[in-house]
Coordinates of all heavy atoms in Angstrom, one line a residue:
M15 N 19.8 176.6 107.0 CA 19.2 177.7 106.2 C 19.6 179.0 106.8 O 19.9 179.2 108.0 CB 17.7 177.6 106.4 CG 17.1 177.7 105.1 SD 15.4 177.8 104.7 CE 14.6 176.7 105.8
L16 N 19.8 180.0 105.9 CA 20.2 181.4 106.3 C 19.0 182.3 106.5 O 18.6 182.8 105.6 CB 21.2 181.9 105.3 CG 22.5 181.1 105.0 CD1 23.2 181.7 103.8 CD2 23.3 181.2 106.3
N17 N 18.6 182.5 107.7 CA 17.5 183.4 108.0 C 17.9 184.8 108.3 O 17.1 185.7 108.2 CB 16.6 182.8 109.2 CG 15.9 181.6 108.8 OD1 15.7 181.3 107.7 ND2 15.6 180.8 109.8
N18 N 19.2 185.0 108.6 CA 19.7 186.3 109.0 C 20.4 186.9 107.8 O 21.4 187.8 108.1 CB 20.6 186.2 110.1 CG 19.8 185.9 111.5 OD1 18.7 186.3 111.5 ND2 20.5 185.4 112.5
E19 N 20.0 186.8 106.6 CA 20.7 187.4 105.5 C 20.5 188.8 105.6 O 19.3 189.4 105.7 CB 20.2 186.8 104.1 CG 20.6 185.4 103.9 CD 20.2 185.0 102.5 OE1 20.3 185.8 101.6 OE2 19.8 183.8 102.4
R20 N 21.6 189.6 105.4 CA 21.5 191.1 105.4 C 21.9 191.6 104.0 O 22.7 191.0 103.3 CB 22.5 191.6 106.3 CG 22.3 191.1 107.8 CD 22.0 192.2 108.6 NE 21.6 191.6 109.9 CZ 21.5 192.3 111.0 NH1 22.1 193.4 111.1 NH2 21.1 191.7 112.1
G21 N 21.2 192.7 103.6 CA 21.4 193.3 102.2 C 20.1 193.6 101.6 O 19.1 193.3 102.1
F22 N 20.2 194.0 100.3 CA 19.1 194.4 99.6 C 18.7 193.3 98.6 O 19.7 192.7 98.0 CB 19.3 195.7 98.8 CG 19.5 196.9 99.7 CD1 20.7 197.5 99.9 CD2 18.4 197.5 100.5 CE1 20.8 198.6 100.8 CE2 18.5 198.5 101.3 CZ 19.7 199.0 101.4
T23 N 17.5 193.1 98.4 CA 17.1 192.2 97.3 C 17.1 192.9 96.0 O 17.1 194.1 95.9 CB 15.6 191.6 97.6 OG1 14.7 192.7 97.5 CG2 15.6 191.0 99.0
L24 N 17.0 192.1 94.9 CA 17.0 192.7 93.6 C 15.8 193.7 93.4 O 15.9 194.7 92.9 CB 16.9 191.6 92.5 CG 16.9 192.0 91.1 CD1 18.2 192.9 90.8 CD2 16.8 190.9 90.1
I25 N 14.6 193.3 94.0 CA 13.4 194.1 93.8 C 13.6 195.5 94.6 O 13.2 196.5 94.1 CB 12.2 193.4 94.5 CG1 11.9 192.1 93.7 CG2 11.0 194.4 94.4 CD1 11.6 192.4 92.2
E26 N 14.2 195.4 95.8 CA 14.5 196.7 96.6 C 15.5 197.6 95.8 O 15.3 198.8 95.7 CB 15.1 196.3 98.0 CG 14.0 195.6 98.8 CD 14.7 195.1 100.1 OE1 15.9 194.7 100.1 OE2 14.0 195.1 101.1
M27 N 16.5 197.0 95.1 CA 17.5 197.8 94.4 C 16.7 198.4 93.2 O 16.9 199.6 92.9 CB 18.6 197.0 93.9 CG 19.5 196.5 95.0 SD 20.3 197.9 96.0 CE 21.4 198.5 94.8
L28 N 15.9 197.7 92.6 CA 15.2 198.2 91.3 C 14.3 199.4 91.8 O 14.1 200.4 91.0 CB 14.4 197.1 90.6 CG 15.2 196.1 89.9 CD1 14.4 195.0 89.4 CD2 16.0 196.8 88.8
I29 N 13.6 199.3 92.9 CA 12.7 200.3 93.4 C 13.5 201.6 93.7 O 13.1 202.7 93.3 CB 11.9 199.9 94.7 CG1 10.9 198.8 94.2 CG2 11.2 201.0 95.3 CD1 10.1 198.1 95.4
V30 N 14.7 201.4 94.3 CA 15.5 202.6 94.6 C 15.9 203.2 93.3 O 15.9 204.4 93.1 CB 16.7 202.2 95.5 CG1 17.8 203.3 95.5 CG2 16.3 201.7 96.8
L31 N 16.4 202.4 92.3 CA 16.7 203.0 91.0 C 15.6 203.7 90.3 O 15.8 204.7 89.7 CB 17.3 201.9 90.1 CG 18.7 201.4 90.4 CD1 19.1 200.2 89.6 CD2 19.7 202.4 90.4
L32 N 14.4 203.2 90.4 CA 13.2 203.8 89.9 C 13.0 205.2 90.4 O 12.7 206.2 89.8 CB 12.0 202.9 90.0 CG 10.7 203.5 89.5 CD1 10.7 203.6 88.0 CD2 9.5 202.7 90.0
V33 N 13.1 205.2 91.8 CA 12.9 206.5 92.5 C 13.9 207.5 92.1 O 13.6 208.7 91.8 CB 12.9 206.3 94.0 CG1 12.9 207.6 94.8 CG2 11.6 205.4 94.4
I34 N 15.2 207.1 92.0 CA 16.2 208.0 91.6 C 16.0 208.5 90.2 O 16.1 209.7 89.8 CB 17.6 207.4 91.8 CG1 17.9 207.3 93.3 CG2 18.7 208.2 91.1 CD1 19.2 206.4 93.5
S35 N 15.6 207.7 89.3 CA 15.4 208.0 87.9 C 14.2 209.0 87.8 O 14.3 210.0 87.0 CB 15.0 206.7 87.1 OG 16.1 205.8 87.1
V36 N 13.2 208.8 88.6 CA 12.0 209.7 88.5 C 12.5 211.1 89.0 O 12.1 212.2 88.4 CB 10.8 209.2 89.4 CG1 9.8 210.3 89.6 CG2 10.2 207.9 88.7
L37 N 13.2 211.1 90.0 CA 13.7 212.4 90.6 C 14.6 213.2 89.5 O 14.5 214.4 89.3 CB 14.5 212.2 91.8 CG 13.7 211.8 93.0 CD1 14.6 211.6 94.3 CD2 12.7 213.0 93.4
L38 N 15.4 212.4 88.9 CA 16.3 213.0 87.8 C 15.5 213.5 86.6 O 15.8 214.6 86.1 CB 17.3 212.0 87.3 CG 18.5 211.6 88.2 CD1 19.4 210.5 87.7 CD2 19.4 212.9 88.5
I39 N 14.5 212.8 86.2 CA 13.6 213.2 85.1 C 12.9 214.5 85.4 O 12.6 215.3 84.6 CB 12.6 212.0 84.8 CG1 13.4 210.9 84.0 CG2 11.4 212.5 83.8 CD1 12.5 209.6 84.0
I40 N 12.5 214.7 86.7 CA 11.8 215.8 87.1 C 12.7 217.0 87.2 O 12.5 218.1 86.8 CB 11.1 215.6 88.5 CG1 10.0 214.7 88.4 CG2 10.6 216.9 89.1 CD1 9.4 214.1 89.6
T41 N 14.0 216.9 87.8 CA 14.8 218.0 88.1 C 15.6 218.4 86.9 O 15.9 219.7 86.8 CB 15.8 217.6 89.3 OG1 16.6 216.6 88.9 CG2 15.1 217.4 90.5
I42 N 16.1 217.6 86.0 CA 17.0 218.1 85.0 C 16.3 219.1 84.0 O 17.0 220.1 83.7 CB 17.6 216.9 84.2 CG1 18.6 216.2 85.1 CG2 18.2 217.3 82.9 CD1 19.2 214.9 84.5
P43 N 15.1 218.9 83.6 CA 14.5 219.9 82.7 C 14.3 221.2 83.4 O 14.5 222.3 82.8 CB 13.1 219.3 82.3 CG 13.3 217.9 82.5 CD 14.3 217.7 83.6
N44 N 14.0 221.2 84.7 CA 13.9 222.4 85.4 C 15.2 223.2 85.5 O 15.2 224.4 85.5 CB 13.3 222.1 86.8 CG 11.9 221.8 86.8 OD1 11.2 222.1 85.9 ND2 11.4 221.0 87.8
M45 N 16.3 222.5 85.7 CA 17.6 223.2 85.8 C 17.9 223.8 84.4 O 18.5 224.9 84.4 CB 18.6 222.2 86.2 CG 18.5 221.8 87.7 SD 19.8 220.9 88.4 CE 20.4 219.8 87.1
S46 N 17.7 223.1 83.4 CA 18.0 223.7 82.1 C 17.1 224.9 81.7 O 17.6 225.8 81.0 CB 17.9 222.6 80.9 OG 16.6 222.1 80.8
K47 N 15.8 224.9 82.1 CA 15.0 226.1 81.9 C 15.5 227.3 82.7 O 15.4 228.4 82.1 CB 13.6 225.8 82.4 CG 12.7 224.9 81.5 CD 11.3 224.9 82.1 CE 10.8 223.5 81.9 NZ 9.5 223.4 82.6
N48 N 16.0 227.1 83.8 CA 16.5 228.2 84.6 C 17.8 228.8 84.3 O 18.3 229.8 84.8 CB 16.5 227.8 86.0 CG 15.1 227.6 86.6 OD1 14.1 228.2 86.1 ND2 14.9 226.8 87.6
S49 N 18.6 228.1 83.3 CA 20.0 228.6 83.1 C 19.9 229.9 82.4 O 20.8 230.7 82.7 CB 20.7 227.5 82.3 OG 20.1 227.4 80.9
T50 N 19.0 230.2 81.6 CA 18.9 231.6 81.0 C 18.7 232.6 82.0 O 19.2 233.7 81.9 CB 17.7 231.6 79.9 OG1 18.0 230.6 78.9 CG2 17.6 232.9 79.2
T51 N 17.7 232.3 83.0 CA 17.5 233.3 84.0 C 18.8 233.5 84.8 O 19.1 234.7 85.2 CB 16.4 232.7 85.0 OG1 15.3 232.5 84.2 CG2 16.0 233.7 86.0
V52 N 19.5 232.4 85.2 CA 20.8 232.6 85.9 C 21.8 233.4 85.2 O 22.4 234.3 85.7 CB 21.4 231.2 86.3 CG1 22.8 231.3 86.8 CG2 20.5 230.4 87.1
K53 N 21.9 233.2 83.9 CA 22.8 234.0 83.1 C 22.4 235.5 83.0 O 23.3 236.4 83.2 CB 23.0 233.5 81.6 CG 23.8 232.1 81.6 CD 23.8 231.6 80.2 CE 24.6 230.3 80.1 NZ 24.6 229.7 78.8
D54 N 21.2 235.7 82.8 CA 20.6 237.2 82.9 C 20.9 237.8 84.2 O 21.4 238.9 84.2 CB 19.2 237.3 82.6 CG 18.9 236.9 81.1 OD1 19.8 236.9 80.3 OD2 17.7 236.6 80.8
K55 N 20.7 237.1 85.3 CA 20.9 237.6 86.6 C 22.4 237.9 86.9 O 22.8 238.9 87.5 CB 20.3 236.7 87.7 CG 18.9 236.6 87.8 CD 18.2 237.9 88.1 CE 16.7 237.7 88.1 NZ 15.9 238.9 88.2
G56 N 23.3 237.1 86.3 CA 24.7 237.2 86.4 C 25.2 238.4 85.7 O 26.0 239.1 86.2
C57 N 24.6 238.6 84.5 CA 25.0 239.9 83.8 C 24.5 241.1 84.5 O 25.2 242.1 84.5 CB 24.4 239.8 82.4 SG 25.1 241.0 81.2
E58 N 23.3 241.1 85.1 CA 22.8 242.2 85.9 C 23.7 242.4 87.1 O 24.1 243.7 87.4 CB 21.4 242.0 86.4 CG 20.4 242.0 85.4 CD 19.0 241.6 85.9 OE1 18.7 241.9 87.2 OE2 18.1 241.1 85.1
A59 N 24.2 241.4 87.8 CA 25.1 241.6 88.9 C 26.4 242.2 88.5 O 27.0 243.1 89.1 CB 25.3 240.2 89.6
L60 N 26.9 241.7 87.3 CA 28.2 242.3 86.8 C 28.0 243.7 86.4 O 29.0 244.5 86.7 CB 28.7 241.4 85.6 CG 30.0 241.9 84.9 CD1 31.2 241.7 85.9 CD2 30.3 241.1 83.7
L61 N 26.9 244.0 85.9 CA 26.7 245.5 85.5 C 26.7 246.3 86.7 O 27.3 247.4 86.7 CB 25.4 245.6 84.7 CG 24.9 247.0 84.4 CD1 25.8 247.6 83.4 CD2 23.4 247.0 83.8
K62 N 26.0 245.9 87.7 CA 26.0 246.8 89.0 C 27.3 246.9 89.6 O 27.7 248.0 90.0 CB 24.9 246.2 90.0 CG 23.5 246.1 89.5 CD 22.9 247.5 89.5 CE 21.5 247.4 89.1 NZ 20.9 248.6 88.9
T63 N 28.0 245.8 89.6 CA 29.4 245.9 90.2 C 30.4 246.8 89.4 O 31.1 247.6 90.0 CB 30.0 244.4 90.2 OG1 29.1 243.5 91.0 CG2 31.4 244.4 90.8
T64 N 30.2 246.7 88.1 CA 31.1 247.5 87.3 C 30.7 249.0 87.5 O 31.6 249.8 87.4 CB 31.0 247.0 85.8 OG1 31.3 245.6 85.7 CG2 31.9 247.9 84.9
E65 N 29.4 249.3 87.5 CA 29.0 250.7 87.8 C 29.6 251.1 89.1 O 30.1 252.3 89.1 CB 27.5 250.8 87.8 CG 26.8 250.6 86.4 CD 25.3 250.6 86.6 OE1 24.8 250.3 87.6 OE2 24.7 250.7 85.4
A66 N 29.6 250.4 90.1 CA 30.1 250.7 91.4 C 31.6 250.9 91.3 O 32.2 251.9 91.9 CB 29.8 249.7 92.4
Q67 N 32.3 250.1 90.5 CA 33.8 250.2 90.4 C 34.2 251.4 89.5 O 35.2 252.0 89.8 CB 34.3 248.9 89.9 CG 34.2 247.8 90.8 CD 34.9 248.1 92.2 OE1 34.3 248.6 93.0 NE2 36.1 247.8 92.3
V68 N 33.3 251.8 88.6 CA 33.5 253.1 87.9 C 33.5 254.2 88.8 O 34.4 255.2 88.8 CB 32.5 253.3 86.7 CG1 32.6 254.7 86.1 CG2 32.8 252.3 85.6
E69 N 32.6 254.3 89.7 CA 32.5 255.3 90.7 C 33.7 255.3 91.8 O 34.3 256.4 92.1 CB 31.2 255.2 91.5 CG 30.0 255.5 90.7 CD 30.1 256.9 90.0 OE1 30.4 257.9 90.7 OE2 29.7 257.0 88.8
A70 N 34.1 254.1 92.1 CA 35.2 253.9 92.9 C 36.5 254.4 92.3 O 37.4 255.2 92.9 CB 35.5 252.5 93.4
Y71 N 36.7 254.2 91.0 CA 37.8 254.7 90.2 C 37.8 256.2 90.1 O 38.8 256.8 90.2 CB 37.8 254.1 88.7 CG 38.9 254.5 87.9 CD1 40.1 253.7 87.9 CD2 38.9 255.6 87.2 CE1 41.2 254.0 87.0 CE2 39.9 256.1 86.4 CZ 41.1 255.2 86.3 OH 42.2 255.5 85.6
F72 N 36.6 256.7 89.9 CA 36.5 258.2 89.9 C 36.9 258.9 91.2 O 37.5 259.8 91.3 CB 35.0 258.5 89.6 CG 34.8 260.0 89.5 CD1 35.2 260.8 88.4 CD2 34.1 260.7 90.5 CE1 35.0 262.1 88.4 CE2 33.9 262.1 90.5 CZ 34.3 262.8 89.4
I73 N 36.4 258.2 92.3 CA 36.8 258.7 93.6 C 38.4 258.7 93.8 O 38.9 259.6 94.4 CB 36.1 258.0 94.8 CG1 34.6 258.3 94.7 CG2 36.7 258.3 96.1 CD1 33.7 257.4 95.5
D74 N 38.9 257.6 93.4 CA 40.3 257.4 93.6 C 41.2 258.3 92.7 O 42.3 258.7 93.1 CB 40.8 256.0 93.4 CG 40.3 255.0 94.4 OD1 39.9 255.5 95.5 OD2 40.3 253.8 94.2
N75 N 40.8 258.5 91.5 CA 41.6 259.2 90.5 C 41.1 260.6 90.0 O 41.6 261.2 89.1 CB 41.8 258.3 89.3 CG 42.4 257.0 89.7 OD1 43.6 257.0 89.9 ND2 41.7 255.9 89.7
S76 N 39.9 260.9 90.5 CA 39.2 262.2 90.1 C 39.0 262.3 88.6 O 39.0 263.4 88.0 CB 40.1 263.4 90.6 OG 40.3 263.5 91.9
K77 N 38.8 261.3 87.9 CA 38.4 261.1 86.6 C 37.8 259.8 86.3 O 38.1 258.8 87.0 CB 39.7 261.4 85.6 CG 40.7 260.4 85.7 CD 41.8 260.6 84.6 CE 42.8 259.4 84.7 NZ 43.9 259.5 83.7
R78 N 37.1 259.8 85.3 CA 36.4 258.5 84.8 C 37.4 257.6 84.1 O 38.3 258.2 83.4 CB 35.2 258.7 83.9 CG 34.1 259.6 84.6 CD 33.1 258.8 85.2 NE 32.1 259.6 85.9 CZ 31.6 259.5 87.0 NH1 32.1 258.4 87.7 NH2 30.8 260.2 87.5
P79 N 37.3 256.3 84.1 CA 38.2 255.5 83.4 C 38.0 255.7 81.9 O 36.9 256.0 81.4 CB 37.9 254.1 83.8 CG 36.6 254.2 84.4 CD 36.4 255.5 85.0
E80 N 39.0 255.5 81.1 CA 38.9 255.6 79.6 C 38.0 254.5 79.0 O 37.3 254.6 78.0 CB 40.2 255.6 78.9 CG 40.9 257.0 79.3 CD 42.3 256.9 78.8 OE1 42.6 256.3 77.8 OE2 43.2 257.8 79.2
S81 N 38.3 253.3 79.6 CA 37.5 252.1 79.1 C 37.4 251.0 80.2 O 38.0 251.3 81.3 CB 38.3 251.5 78.0 OG 39.5 250.9 78.4
L82 N 36.7 250.0 80.0 CA 36.5 248.9 81.0 C 37.9 248.2 81.1 O 38.2 247.7 82.2 CB 35.5 248.0 80.6 CG 34.0 248.5 80.6 CD1 33.0 247.4 80.2 CD2 33.7 249.1 82.0
Q83 N 38.6 248.2 80.2 CA 40.0 247.6 80.2 C 40.9 248.3 81.2 O 41.6 247.7 81.9 CB 40.6 247.6 78.8 CG 42.0 246.8 78.7 CD 41.8 245.4 79.1 OE1 40.8 244.7 78.7 NE2 42.7 244.8 79.9
T84 N 40.7 249.6 81.4 CA 41.4 250.4 82.3 C 41.0 249.8 83.7 O 41.9 249.7 84.6 CB 41.0 251.8 82.3 OG1 41.4 252.3 81.0 CG2 41.7 252.7 83.3
L85 N 39.8 249.6 84.1 CA 39.3 249.0 85.3 C 40.0 247.6 85.5 O 40.3 247.3 86.6 CB 37.8 248.9 85.4 CG 37.0 250.3 85.4 CD1 35.5 250.0 85.4 CD2 37.4 251.1 86.6
I86 N 40.0 246.8 84.5 CA 40.6 245.5 84.7 C 42.1 245.6 84.9 O 42.7 245.0 85.8 CB 40.4 244.7 83.4 CG1 38.9 244.4 83.2 CG2 41.1 243.3 83.4 CD1 38.5 243.7 81.9
T87 N 42.8 246.5 84.2 CA 44.3 246.7 84.4 C 44.5 247.2 85.8 O 45.5 246.7 86.4 CB 44.8 247.6 83.3 OG1 44.5 247.1 82.0 CG2 46.3 247.7 83.4
E88 N 43.7 248.1 86.2 CA 43.9 248.7 87.5 C 43.5 247.8 88.7 O 43.6 248.2 89.9 CB 43.3 250.1 87.6 CG 43.9 251.1 86.6 CD 45.2 251.6 87.1 OE1 45.5 251.7 88.2 OE2 46.0 252.0 86.2
G89 N 42.9 246.7 88.4 CA 42.4 245.8 89.5 C 41.0 246.1 90.1 O 40.7 245.6 91.2
Y90 N 40.2 247.0 89.4 CA 38.9 247.3 90.0 C 37.9 246.2 89.6 O 37.0 246.0 90.5 CB 38.5 248.6 89.4 CG 39.1 249.8 90.1 CD1 40.3 250.3 89.6 CD2 38.6 250.4 91.2 CE1 41.0 251.3 90.2 CE2 39.2 251.6 91.8 CZ 40.4 252.0 91.2 OH 41.1 253.0 91.9
I91 N 38.1 245.7 88.5 CA 37.1 244.6 88.1 C 38.0 243.4 87.5 O 39.2 243.7 87.1 CB 36.0 244.8 87.2 CG1 36.6 245.5 85.8 CG2 35.1 245.9 87.7 CD1 35.6 245.7 84.8
T92 N 37.5 242.2 87.4 CA 38.3 241.1 86.9 C 37.8 240.7 85.5 O 38.6 240.1 84.7 CB 38.3 239.8 87.8 OG1 36.9 239.5 87.9 CG2 38.9 240.1 89.1
Q93 N 36.6 241.1 85.1 CA 36.1 240.7 83.8 C 35.0 241.8 83.4 O 34.5 242.5 84.2 CB 35.5 239.4 83.8 CG 34.3 239.3 84.6 CD 33.7 237.8 84.6 OE1 34.5 236.8 84.5 NE2 32.4 237.7 84.7
S94 N 34.9 241.8 82.1 CA 33.7 242.7 81.6 C 32.8 241.9 80.6 O 32.1 242.4 79.8 CB 34.3 243.8 80.7 OG 35.1 243.4 79.6
T95 N 32.9 240.5 80.8 CA 32.1 239.6 79.9 C 31.1 239.1 80.8 O 31.4 238.4 81.8 CB 33.1 238.5 79.4 OG1 34.1 239.1 78.6 CG2 32.2 237.6 78.4
C96 N 29.8 239.1 80.4 CA 28.7 238.4 81.1 C 28.8 236.9 81.0 O 29.5 236.4 80.1 CB 27.3 238.9 80.4 SG 27.0 240.6 80.8
P97 N 28.1 236.3 81.9 CA 28.0 234.8 81.8 C 27.6 234.1 80.5 O 28.0 233.1 80.1 CB 27.1 234.4 83.0 CG 27.2 235.5 83.9 CD 27.4 236.7 83.0
D98 N 26.8 235.0 79.8 CA 26.3 234.4 78.4 C 27.3 234.7 77.3 O 26.9 234.5 76.2 CB 24.9 235.0 78.1 CG 24.9 236.5 78.0 OD1 26.0 237.2 78.1 OD2 23.8 237.1 77.7
G99 N 28.4 235.3 77.6 CA 29.4 235.6 76.7 C 29.4 237.0 76.0 O 30.3 237.4 75.3
S100 N 28.4 237.8 76.4 CA 28.4 239.1 75.8 C 29.2 240.1 76.6 O 29.4 240.0 77.8 CB 26.9 239.6 75.8 OG 26.3 239.5 77.0
E101 N 29.7 241.2 76.0 CA 30.5 242.2 76.7 C 29.7 243.3 77.2 O 28.8 243.7 76.4 CB 31.5 242.7 75.6 CG 32.6 241.7 75.3 CD 33.7 241.6 76.4 OE1 34.0 242.6 77.1 OE2 34.3 240.5 76.4
L102 N 30.1 243.9 78.3 CA 29.5 245.1 78.8 C 29.9 246.2 77.9 O 31.1 246.2 77.4 CB 29.9 245.4 80.2 CG 29.3 244.4 81.3 CD1 29.8 244.8 82.6 CD2 27.8 244.4 81.3
Q103 N 29.2 247.3 77.8 CA 29.5 248.5 76.9 C 29.8 249.6 77.9 O 29.2 249.7 79.0 CB 28.2 248.8 76.1 CG 27.8 247.7 75.2 CD 28.8 247.1 74.2 OE1 29.5 248.0 73.6 NE2 28.9 245.9 74.1
Y104 N 30.8 250.4 77.5 CA 31.2 251.6 78.3 C 31.4 252.8 77.5 O 32.1 252.7 76.5 CB 32.4 251.2 79.1 CG 32.9 252.4 79.9 CD1 32.2 252.7 81.1 CD2 34.0 253.2 79.6 CE1 32.7 253.7 81.9 CE2 34.4 254.1 80.3 CZ 33.8 254.5 81.5 OH 34.2 255.5 82.3
E105 N 30.6 253.8 77.7 CA 30.8 255.1 77.0 C 30.4 256.3 77.8 O 29.4 256.3 78.5 CB 29.9 255.0 75.7 CG 30.1 256.2 74.7 CD 29.2 256.0 73.5 OE1 28.9 254.9 73.1 OE2 29.0 257.1 72.9
D106 N 31.4 257.2 77.8 CA 31.2 258.4 78.6 C 30.8 258.3 80.0 O 30.0 258.9 80.6 CB 30.1 259.3 77.9 CG 30.5 259.7 76.5 OD1 31.7 260.0 76.2 OD2 29.5 259.8 75.6
G107 N 31.4 257.3 80.6 CA 31.3 257.0 82.1 C 30.1 256.2 82.4 O 29.7 256.1 83.5
V108 N 29.3 255.7 81.4 CA 28.1 255.0 81.6 C 28.3 253.5 81.1 O 28.7 253.3 80.0 CB 26.9 255.6 80.8 CG1 25.7 254.7 81.0 CG2 26.7 257.0 81.2
V109 N 28.0 252.6 82.0 CA 28.1 251.2 81.7 C 26.8 250.6 81.4 O 25.8 250.9 82.1 CB 28.7 250.4 83.0 CG1 28.9 248.9 82.6 CG2 30.0 251.0 83.5
S110 N 26.7 249.9 80.3 CA 25.4 249.3 79.9 C 25.5 247.8 79.5 O 26.6 247.5 79.1 CB 24.8 250.1 78.8 OG 25.6 250.0 77.6
A111 N 24.5 247.1 79.7 CA 24.5 245.6 79.3 C 24.1 245.6 77.9 O 23.4 246.4 77.3 CB 23.5 245.0 80.3
P112 N 24.7 244.6 77.1 CA 24.2 244.3 75.8 C 22.8 244.0 75.8 O 22.1 243.6 76.8 CB 25.1 243.2 75.3 CG 25.5 242.6 76.6 CD 25.6 243.6 77.6
A113 N 22.1 244.2 74.7 CA 20.7 243.9 74.5 C 20.5 242.4 74.7 O 21.3 241.6 74.3 CB 20.2 244.3 73.1
S114 N 19.4 242.1 75.4 CA 19.1 240.7 75.7 C 18.8 240.0 74.4 O 18.2 240.5 73.5 CB 17.9 240.5 76.7 OG 17.6 239.2 76.9
S115 N 19.2 238.7 74.3 CA 18.9 237.9 73.1 C 17.5 237.2 73.0 O 17.3 236.4 72.2 CB 20.0 236.9 72.9 OG 20.0 236.0 74.0
E116 N 16.7 237.6 74.1 CA 15.4 236.9 74.1 C 14.4 237.5 73.1 O 14.4 238.6 72.9 CB 14.8 236.9 75.5 CG 15.6 236.1 76.4 CD 15.1 236.2 77.9 OE1 13.8 236.3 78.0 OE2 15.9 236.1 78.8

C-alpha cells in the first residue's frame, strides 16, 4: 500500500480553483469600473505636462509655439492625444482638455 503519496487530491484542486474563481469574480468588475477614472487622470497628467512644455518652449524660443504639432516636432512632447482618444486643444498659448464625455 502507498501511504506516502504526495500531491493534491481532486477535492483540493477543486477548492483552489473555487478560491481563484471567486477572486477573479470580485476583481474584474472593479478594474473595469476604474478604467474611466484612469483615462481621465491620464488626460489630466498629459494636460499638465503639455502646459509645462509650452512654457519650456517659450523659455527656449522667446515665443509661444504655433500649435501642439510644433511641440511634437521639436521634441517637447510625444503626443497630444489623451488615453481616451480625445485631442488636447491649443489656442493663443493656452492648452485645454476636451470636454469630458461623462
Side-chain angles (χ1 to χ4, degrees):
M15 226 183 325
L16 297 171
N17 289 338
N18 286 337
E19 288 186 40
R20 303 241 168 156
F22 294 107
T23 65
L24 179 60
I25 298 298
E26 290 170 329
M27 290 300 284
L28 289 174
I29 290 171
V30 169
L31 288 173
L32 175 70
V33 169
I34 291 171
S35 298
V36 168
L37 289 174
L38 288 173
I39 288 170
I40 291 171
T41 57
I42 289 175
N44 288 336
M45 289 188 326
S46 63
K47 279 187 220 172
N48 293 332
S49 67
T50 302
T51 304
V52 169
K53 287 180 181 179
D54 289 344
K55 294 293 181 188
C57 197
E58 288 176 28
L60 180 62
L61 175 65
K62 297 287 184 192
T63 301
T64 304
E65 288 172 342
Q67 292 305 86
V68 166
E69 293 304 316
Y71 183 92
F72 180 74
I73 291 168
D74 292 343
N75 299 290
S76 300
K77 64 177 184 174
R78 302 269 180 223
E80 294 177 19
S81 68
L82 292 180
Q83 187 59 42
T84 303
L85 292 177
I86 293 171
T87 303
E88 297 287 326
Y90 285 86
I91 59 174
T92 57
Q93 67 181 31
S94 61
T95 306
C96 290
D98 64 0
S100 57
E101 287 281 333
L102 292 179
Q103 306 298 315
Y104 179 74
E105 189 174 335
D106 297 328
V108 177
V109 182
S110 60
S114 180
S115 60
E116 291 179 33

